[in-house]
Amino acid sequence: MESIVITPKTKNEAKIITGLLNKMNISSSVITDEEKEDLGLLMMMKKVDRSDKVSRDEVMKKLN
């Protein structure tokens, strides 16, 4: 099943939305800003081209 992400503007909006979801018997969960960042990084990692290889020398040049 697909998911919906909702970002309420105020705490009152969040309370109303979660109350409505509870009354409709729809499960919901609150995620932190850090968890949102992790999800964004995961999405970016899935899109990256893993067939392109980088040599050890190139990596060492960037580190120095």
Side-chain angles (χ1 to χ4, degrees):
M1 175 64 58
E2 294 181 10
S3 298
I4 299 172
V5 177
I6 300 171
T7 307
K9 295 178 189 138
T10 64
K11 287 185 179 185
N12 190 42
E13 280 184 4
K15 186 177 178 180
I16 292 169
I17 292 168
T18 54
L20 177 63
L21 292 171
N22 285 337
K23 283 184 180 183
M24 295 175 68
N25 201 23
I26 298 173
S27 65
S28 64
S29 61
V30 178
I31 60 172
T32 65
D33 287 337
E34 186 175 332
E35 290 170 321
K36 284 190 272 187
E37 277 182 23
D38 290 345
L39 288 170
L41 288 171
L42 175 65
M43 291 169 64
M44 288 172 47
M45 289 170 65
K46 285 185 173 184
K47 291 180 183 177
V48 74
D49 179 12
R50 289 181 228 144
S51 64
D52 192 19
K53 303 290 181 193
V54 179
S55 72
R56 184 178 192 285
D57 292 335
E58 288 181 61
V59 173
M60 295 311 285
K61 283 180 189 176
K62 291 286 183 183
L63 291 176
N64 290 328

